Tab-separated table of all heavy atoms in Angstrom:
chain	number	residue	atom	x	y	z
A	1	PHE	N	-1.956	16.055	-31.980
A	1	PHE	CA	-2.074	15.391	-30.680
A	1	PHE	C	-1.948	13.873	-30.819
A	1	PHE	O	-1.434	13.206	-29.917
A	1	PHE	CB	-3.394	15.764	-30.011
A	1	PHE	CG	-3.442	17.193	-29.511
A	1	PHE	CD1	-2.363	18.047	-29.686
A	1	PHE	CD2	-4.567	17.677	-28.880
A	1	PHE	CE1	-2.404	19.366	-29.242
A	1	PHE	CE2	-4.628	18.987	-28.424
A	1	PHE	CZ	-3.544	19.836	-28.614
A	2	GLN	N	-2.398	13.326	-31.930
A	2	GLN	CA	-2.189	11.902	-32.170
A	2	GLN	C	-0.701	11.601	-32.330
A	2	GLN	O	-0.210	10.564	-31.867
A	2	GLN	CB	-2.966	11.441	-33.404
A	2	GLN	CG	-2.769	9.990	-33.785
A	2	GLN	CD	-3.286	9.001	-32.753
A	2	GLN	OE1	-3.890	9.387	-31.754
A	2	GLN	NE2	-3.028	7.726	-32.972
A	3	MET	N	0.029	12.519	-32.963
A	3	MET	CA	1.476	12.353	-33.081
A	3	MET	C	2.139	12.378	-31.708
A	3	MET	O	3.076	11.624	-31.447
A	3	MET	CB	2.053	13.453	-33.971
A	3	MET	CG	1.671	13.340	-35.436
A	3	MET	SD	2.200	14.772	-36.400
A	3	MET	CE	3.985	14.669	-36.173
A	4	VAL	N	1.648	13.241	-30.826
A	4	VAL	CA	2.155	13.273	-29.451
A	4	VAL	C	1.890	11.934	-28.775
A	4	VAL	O	2.772	11.345	-28.126
A	4	VAL	CB	1.500	14.417	-28.650
A	4	VAL	CG1	1.855	14.314	-27.168
A	4	VAL	CG2	1.938	15.773	-29.201
A	5	SER	N	0.667	11.436	-28.940
A	5	SER	CA	0.291	10.163	-28.331
A	5	SER	C	1.158	9.013	-28.827
A	5	SER	O	1.450	8.073	-28.076
A	5	SER	CB	-1.180	9.867	-28.636
A	5	SER	OG	-1.563	8.612	-28.124
A	6	MET	N	1.598	9.094	-30.095
A	6	MET	CA	2.351	8.006	-30.704
A	6	MET	C	3.862	8.168	-30.579
A	6	MET	O	4.608	7.353	-31.118
A	6	MET	CB	1.977	7.892	-32.180
A	6	MET	CG	0.523	7.499	-32.428
A	6	MET	SD	0.075	5.916	-31.678
A	6	MET	CE	1.060	4.798	-32.667
A	7	LEU	N	4.314	9.199	-29.889
A	7	LEU	CA	5.760	9.322	-29.676
A	7	LEU	C	6.292	8.056	-29.009
A	7	LEU	O	5.677	7.546	-28.070
A	7	LEU	CB	6.083	10.530	-28.797
A	7	LEU	CG	6.156	11.895	-29.482
A	7	LEU	CD1	6.287	13.012	-28.446
A	7	LEU	CD2	7.334	11.962	-30.450
A	8	PRO	N	7.421	7.553	-29.450
A	8	PRO	CA	7.956	6.339	-28.832
A	8	PRO	C	8.451	6.572	-27.402
A	8	PRO	O	8.444	5.661	-26.587
A	8	PRO	CB	9.097	5.942	-29.767
A	8	PRO	CG	9.491	7.208	-30.463
A	8	PRO	CD	8.230	7.999	-30.608
A	9	GLN	N	8.869	7.807	-27.111
A	9	GLN	CA	9.361	8.125	-25.773
A	9	GLN	C	8.202	8.321	-24.792
A	9	GLN	O	7.128	8.777	-25.178
A	9	GLN	CB	10.203	9.399	-25.794
A	9	GLN	CG	11.386	9.381	-26.736
A	9	GLN	CD	11.086	10.016	-28.075
A	9	GLN	OE1	9.946	10.034	-28.526
A	9	GLN	NE2	12.116	10.541	-28.732
A	10	PRO	N	8.413	8.004	-23.516
A	10	PRO	CA	7.418	8.363	-22.501
A	10	PRO	C	7.230	9.879	-22.462
A	10	PRO	O	8.194	10.634	-22.609
A	10	PRO	CB	8.035	7.858	-21.195
A	10	PRO	CG	9.029	6.819	-21.608
A	10	PRO	CD	9.554	7.265	-22.937
A	11	THR	N	5.977	10.323	-22.268
A	11	THR	CA	5.675	11.746	-22.271
A	11	THR	C	4.954	12.135	-20.988
A	11	THR	O	4.120	11.382	-20.469
A	11	THR	CB	4.796	12.116	-23.472
A	11	THR	OG1	3.622	11.288	-23.478
A	11	THR	CG2	5.552	11.933	-24.784
A	12	ILE	N	5.272	13.344	-20.507
A	12	ILE	CA	4.679	13.870	-19.279
A	12	ILE	C	4.053	15.219	-19.582
A	12	ILE	O	4.725	16.110	-20.116
A	12	ILE	CB	5.742	14.056	-18.172
A	12	ILE	CG1	6.489	12.750	-17.900
A	12	ILE	CG2	5.094	14.588	-16.885
A	12	ILE	CD1	7.743	12.943	-17.043
A	13	ALA	N	2.788	15.392	-19.238
A	13	ALA	CA	2.165	16.706	-19.296
A	13	ALA	C	2.363	17.363	-17.937
A	13	ALA	O	1.815	16.893	-16.927
A	13	ALA	CB	0.682	16.594	-19.619
A	14	ALA	N	3.168	18.418	-17.900
A	14	ALA	CA	3.399	19.180	-16.673
A	14	ALA	C	2.399	20.330	-16.668
A	14	ALA	O	2.636	21.385	-17.253
A	14	ALA	CB	4.834	19.696	-16.623
A	15	ILE	N	1.259	20.111	-16.026
A	15	ILE	CA	0.138	21.042	-16.084
A	15	ILE	C	0.345	22.121	-15.037
A	15	ILE	O	-0.015	21.967	-13.865
A	15	ILE	CB	-1.195	20.291	-15.888
A	15	ILE	CG1	-1.312	19.157	-16.916
A	15	ILE	CG2	-2.379	21.251	-16.022
A	15	ILE	CD1	-2.501	18.245	-16.703
A	16	ASN	N	0.927	23.228	-15.480
A	16	ASN	CA	1.335	24.309	-14.586
A	16	ASN	C	0.250	25.358	-14.374
A	16	ASN	O	0.472	26.346	-13.673
A	16	ASN	CB	2.581	24.995	-15.155
A	16	ASN	CG	2.365	25.481	-16.576
A	16	ASN	OD1	1.940	24.714	-17.435
A	16	ASN	ND2	2.657	26.740	-16.843
A	17	GLY	N	-0.912	25.172	-14.979
A	17	GLY	CA	-2.007	26.131	-14.852
A	17	GLY	C	-3.225	25.614	-15.577
A	17	GLY	O	-3.355	24.410	-15.832
A	18	TYR	N	-4.136	26.515	-15.931
A	18	TYR	CA	-5.391	26.111	-16.561
A	18	TYR	C	-5.158	25.180	-17.740
A	18	TYR	O	-4.308	25.422	-18.596
A	18	TYR	CB	-6.147	27.331	-17.067
A	18	TYR	CG	-6.576	28.306	-15.985
A	18	TYR	CD1	-6.467	29.678	-16.191
A	18	TYR	CD2	-7.090	27.862	-14.774
A	18	TYR	CE1	-6.856	30.582	-15.210
A	18	TYR	CE2	-7.477	28.753	-13.786
A	18	TYR	CZ	-7.361	30.113	-14.013
A	18	TYR	OH	-7.748	30.999	-13.040
A	19	ALA	N	-5.970	24.120	-17.797
A	19	ALA	CA	-5.937	23.183	-18.928
A	19	ALA	C	-7.370	22.928	-19.343
A	19	ALA	O	-8.073	22.113	-18.735
A	19	ALA	CB	-5.242	21.882	-18.540
A	20	PHE	N	-7.831	23.663	-20.345
A	20	PHE	CA	-9.200	23.553	-20.813
A	20	PHE	C	-9.219	23.146	-22.288
A	20	PHE	O	-8.311	23.478	-23.045
A	20	PHE	CB	-9.950	24.876	-20.648
A	20	PHE	CG	-10.098	25.319	-19.220
A	20	PHE	CD1	-9.762	26.612	-18.842
A	20	PHE	CD2	-10.572	24.457	-18.253
A	20	PHE	CE1	-9.892	27.029	-17.531
A	20	PHE	CE2	-10.705	24.860	-16.932
A	20	PHE	CZ	-10.370	26.148	-16.572
A	21	GLY	N	-10.302	22.467	-22.686
A	21	GLY	CA	-10.481	22.148	-24.092
A	21	GLY	C	-9.277	21.443	-24.684
A	21	GLY	O	-8.818	20.408	-24.187
A	22	GLY	N	-8.732	22.039	-25.762
A	22	GLY	CA	-7.573	21.452	-26.425
A	22	GLY	C	-6.364	21.325	-25.529
A	22	GLY	O	-5.532	20.426	-25.714
A	23	GLY	N	-6.245	22.198	-24.540
A	23	GLY	CA	-5.140	22.063	-23.591
A	23	GLY	C	-5.252	20.783	-22.794
A	23	GLY	O	-4.268	20.064	-22.586
A	24	MET	N	-6.478	20.463	-22.348
A	24	MET	CA	-6.696	19.210	-21.633
A	24	MET	C	-6.502	18.024	-22.561
A	24	MET	O	-5.989	16.977	-22.156
A	24	MET	CB	-8.106	19.194	-21.051
A	24	MET	CG	-8.356	18.047	-20.070
A	24	MET	SD	-7.430	18.250	-18.543
A	24	MET	CE	-6.608	16.653	-18.406
A	25	GLU	N	-6.873	18.190	-23.824
A	25	GLU	CA	-6.700	17.101	-24.787
A	25	GLU	C	-5.234	16.816	-25.063
A	25	GLU	O	-4.841	15.663	-25.262
A	25	GLU	CB	-7.455	17.421	-26.074
A	25	GLU	CG	-8.964	17.338	-25.890
A	25	GLU	CD	-9.745	17.719	-27.129
A	25	GLU	OE1	-9.657	18.892	-27.542
A	25	GLU	OE2	-10.439	16.852	-27.680
A	26	LEU	N	-4.400	17.859	-25.066
A	26	LEU	CA	-2.961	17.624	-25.187
A	26	LEU	C	-2.458	16.828	-23.991
A	26	LEU	O	-1.670	15.882	-24.137
A	26	LEU	CB	-2.199	18.953	-25.298
A	26	LEU	CG	-0.672	18.848	-25.245
A	26	LEU	CD1	-0.133	17.968	-26.366
A	26	LEU	CD2	-0.036	20.240	-25.305
A	27	ALA	N	-2.915	17.195	-22.806
A	27	ALA	CA	-2.507	16.463	-21.603
A	27	ALA	C	-2.948	15.007	-21.677
A	27	ALA	O	-2.203	14.092	-21.288
A	27	ALA	CB	-3.078	17.136	-20.362
A	28	LEU	N	-4.156	14.768	-22.183
A	28	LEU	CA	-4.657	13.399	-22.303
A	28	LEU	C	-3.869	12.592	-23.328
A	28	LEU	O	-3.797	11.361	-23.238
A	28	LEU	CB	-6.132	13.408	-22.694
A	28	LEU	CG	-7.108	13.900	-21.626
A	28	LEU	CD1	-8.507	14.072	-22.216
A	28	LEU	CD2	-7.148	12.956	-20.434
A	29	ALA	N	-3.270	13.271	-24.309
A	29	ALA	CA	-2.454	12.583	-25.317
A	29	ALA	C	-1.102	12.166	-24.759
A	29	ALA	O	-0.397	11.365	-25.387
A	29	ALA	CB	-2.266	13.474	-26.543
A	30	CYS	N	-0.726	12.720	-23.610
A	30	CYS	CA	0.538	12.337	-22.966
A	30	CYS	C	0.327	11.086	-22.111
A	30	CYS	O	-0.787	10.748	-21.731
A	30	CYS	CB	1.065	13.483	-22.109
A	30	CYS	SG	1.554	14.950	-23.049
A	31	ASP	N	1.429	10.429	-21.776
A	31	ASP	CA	1.353	9.202	-20.985
A	31	ASP	C	1.063	9.478	-19.516
A	31	ASP	O	0.391	8.693	-18.849
A	31	ASP	CB	2.672	8.424	-21.098
A	31	ASP	CG	3.002	8.045	-22.520
A	31	ASP	OD1	2.084	7.634	-23.250
A	31	ASP	OD2	4.176	8.179	-22.918
A	32	PHE	N	1.576	10.589	-19.003
A	32	PHE	CA	1.419	10.936	-17.596
A	32	PHE	C	1.010	12.400	-17.476
A	32	PHE	O	1.391	13.229	-18.314
A	32	PHE	CB	2.730	10.716	-16.822
A	32	PHE	CG	3.301	9.336	-17.000
A	32	PHE	CD1	4.359	9.118	-17.871
A	32	PHE	CD2	2.782	8.256	-16.310
A	32	PHE	CE1	4.883	7.849	-18.055
A	32	PHE	CE2	3.297	6.974	-16.485
A	32	PHE	CZ	4.355	6.773	-17.356
A	33	ARG	N	0.267	12.710	-16.407
A	33	ARG	CA	-0.180	14.074	-16.159
A	33	ARG	C	0.092	14.429	-14.704
A	33	ARG	O	-0.434	13.771	-13.792
A	33	ARG	CB	-1.679	14.197	-16.467
A	33	ARG	CG	-2.010	14.192	-17.949
A	33	ARG	CD	-3.420	13.697	-18.231
A	33	ARG	NE	-3.558	12.288	-17.851
A	33	ARG	CZ	-3.124	11.276	-18.583
A	33	ARG	NH1	-2.545	11.492	-19.752
A	33	ARG	NH2	-3.263	10.032	-18.160
A	34	ILE	N	0.912	15.450	-14.519
A	34	ILE	CA	1.217	15.965	-13.183
A	34	ILE	C	0.788	17.428	-13.167
A	34	ILE	O	1.153	18.191	-14.060
A	34	ILE	CB	2.717	15.834	-12.852
A	34	ILE	CG1	3.158	14.363	-12.956
A	34	ILE	CG2	3.011	16.385	-11.461
A	34	ILE	CD1	4.641	14.147	-12.759
A	35	ALA	N	0.009	17.823	-12.156
A	35	ALA	CA	-0.548	19.177	-12.129
A	35	ALA	C	-0.249	19.885	-10.821
A	35	ALA	O	-0.087	19.245	-9.763
A	35	ALA	CB	-2.061	19.129	-12.346
C-alpha cells in the first residue's frame, strides 16, 4: 500500500462496494476516492 501511495501517477480508488479494514486502507493510499 505504501508503494501504491508512492506511485508517480495520480491514483483513483473506485469504491464499487464494501471497503473495510485493508480495503479502506488501500483506498486511503490512493490520491482520490470515488464511491
Side-chain angles (χ1 to χ4, degrees):
F1 289 1
Q2 177 65 5
M3 291 173 61
V4 171
S5 177
M6 295 301 293
L7 277 172
Q9 303 96 333
T11 54
I12 304 167
I15 305 173
N16 55 308
Y18 297 139
F20 297 130
M24 191 69 232
E25 289 177 296
L26 172 59
L28 290 171
C30 294
D31 301 318
F32 307 101
R33 286 154 295 281
I34 302 175

